[in-house]
């Protein structure tokens, strides 16, 4: 079942015992460059193979019933990479939309893009909007694409939006609650990620979903992203399901 845009944003309740399968999985797809370097290939080939891995994971997640997948496709800091690499990544994005959009649409997958849009090149912005528009009414897996995304900037945008509403007399300062801020984020209407997976052995969030990750479970693996496949995804989910989530409360086994 897909997530309704106006769903209840209340935090989930703690339950004793092992966790249920995650409803929302977020992916930090790290290691494309290192994968290519280890094989004596250009970094661009690592990104190309990373896209192949992403296709597999999206199809698999939809098949096994995950509701939401959020991918960290391009951060707001990635613009500082070499111009040739950025240009290749933009071309890869174009090819992904042009080649995969119809297949994703046929699979009933809904695409949502989060991140700053103000300074994007018009052609890229048009592609992103077309992907959202075409799949808007789909009711299967929500594929959330974090593009030109940085969590601090996202939180700043949300705070500014609420401040403007206060200045305009639309809301009062006391109306600014956790739920109000969450709703003003780029991810407003989506559940927080239950599980965040990062590949390549790195153990940090890198400015990704900082607010939303307050009670997420983390799974770090040494696999480089192009080597991450359906079995690796299932292993992450198995690890998640063996954990106990308490959301600041106590375990039922605690006396």
């Amino acid at each position: 079942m897909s997530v309704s845009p106006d769903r209840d944003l209340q935090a989930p309740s703690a339950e004793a015992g092992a966790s249920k399968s995650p409803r929302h999985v977020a992916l930090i797809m790290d290691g494309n460059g290192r994968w290519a370097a280890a094989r004596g290939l250009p970094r661009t080939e690592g990104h190309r193979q990373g896209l192949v891995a992403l296709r597999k994971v999206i199809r698999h997640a939809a098949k096994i019933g995950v509701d939401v997948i959020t991918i960290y496709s391009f951060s707001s800091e990635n613009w500082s990479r070499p111009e040739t690499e950025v240009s290749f990544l933009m071309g890869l994005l174009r090819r992904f939309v042009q080649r995969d959009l119809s297949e994703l649409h046929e699979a009933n997958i809904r695409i949502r893009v989060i991140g700053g849009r103000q300074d994007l090149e018009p052609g890229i912005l048009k592609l992103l909007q077309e992907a959202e528009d075409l799949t808007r009414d789909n009711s299967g897996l929500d594929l959330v694409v974090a593009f030109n995304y940085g969590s601090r900037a996202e939180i700043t945008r949300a705070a500014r939006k609420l401040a403007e509403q206060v200045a305009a007399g639309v809301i009062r300062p006391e109306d600014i609650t956790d739920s109000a801020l969450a709703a003003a984020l780029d991810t407003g209407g989506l559940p927080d990620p239950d599980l965040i997976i990062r590949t390549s052995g790195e153990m940090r969030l890198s400015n990704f979903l900082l607010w939303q990750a307050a009670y997420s479970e983390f799974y770090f693996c040494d696999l480089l992203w192009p080597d991450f496949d359906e079995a690796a995804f299932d292993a992450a989910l198995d690890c998640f399901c063996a954990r106990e989530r308490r959301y600041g409360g106590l375990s039922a086994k605690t006396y």
Side-chain angles (χ1 to χ4, degrees):
M1 179 180 297
S2 182
V3 181
S4 170
D6 57 356
R7 67 176 296 278
D8 184 3
L9 289 171
Q10 295 298 316
S13 301
E15 296 182 4
S19 301
K20 298 178 180 178
S21 295
R23 180 183 185 190
H24 180 177
V25 179
L27 300 170
I28 303 176
M29 306 173 293
D30 201 8
N32 291 343
R34 276 169 281 174
W35 183 93
R39 291 160 176 77
L41 300 170
R43 288 177 59 86
T44 52
E45 184 59 26
H47 294 309
R48 196 189 316 274
Q49 293 303 315
L51 181 55
V52 173
L54 177 60
R55 290 188 180 110
K56 293 178 182 178
V57 169
I58 291 172
R59 285 195 293 265
H60 184 62
K63 180 180 178 181
I64 65 177
V66 175
D67 286 342
V68 186
I69 288 283
T70 296
I71 60 172
Y72 204 3
S73 67
F74 193 85
S75 81
S76 51
E77 288 82 18
N78 287 157
W79 295 108
S80 63
R81 291 189 177 188
E83 184 177 347
T84 53
E85 183 174 353
V86 171
S87 178
F88 178 84
L89 289 170
M90 295 304 103
L92 205 60
L93 173 65
R94 289 187 180 92
R95 289 193 291 276
F96 175 71
V97 173
Q98 292 164 354
R99 171 179 169 178
D100 294 74
L101 181 56
S102 60
E103 180 181 338
L104 294 171
H105 182 45
E106 290 174 5
N108 198 30
I109 292 172
R110 179 168 57 184
I111 297 174
R112 176 167 172 175
V113 181
I114 61 174
R117 301 194 186 192
Q118 185 174 357
D119 299 321
L120 289 181
E121 190 267 319
I124 293 294
L125 182 58
K126 183 173 182 290
L127 280 176
L128 299 177
Q129 291 174 336
E130 286 177 353
E132 288 185 313
D133 291 343
L134 178 64
T135 63
R136 191 176 307 280
D137 295 327
N138 291 345
S139 57
L141 172 77
D142 277 300
L143 175 60
V144 184
V145 181
F147 181 82
N148 192 30
Y149 176 86
S151 189
R152 287 181 174 180
E154 176 194 27
I155 295 170
T156 300
R157 285 194 300 273
R160 185 180 298 119
K161 184 188 304 182
L162 294 175
E164 290 170 349
Q165 292 178 2
V166 170
V170 176
I171 62 173
R172 302 166 299 169
E174 55 266 35
D175 294 326
I176 301 177
T177 61
D178 285 1
S179 294
L181 183 54
L185 294 171
D186 295 355
T187 54
L190 291 167
D192 289 342
D194 300 296
L195 173 65
I196 298 178
I197 299 171
R198 182 165 189 159
T199 56
S200 85
E202 303 293 349
M203 298 183 183
R204 57 181 180 273
L205 280 177
S206 297
N207 200 18
F208 182 54
L209 302 179
L210 300 179
W211 174 281
Q212 299 88 337
Y215 285 102
S216 299
E217 295 292 323
F218 296 93
Y219 180 85
F220 302 108
C221 69
D222 292 331
L223 282 175
L224 302 177
W225 175 252
D227 292 326
F228 195 86
D229 58 12
E230 298 92 338
F233 188 80
D234 286 344
L237 267 57
D238 287 344
C239 182
F240 171 87
C241 291
R243 299 181 188 181
E244 183 179 11
R245 305 182 75 193
R246 297 188 295 274
Y247 304 99
L250 295 176
S251 165
K253 300 176 182 179
T254 301
Y255 299 95

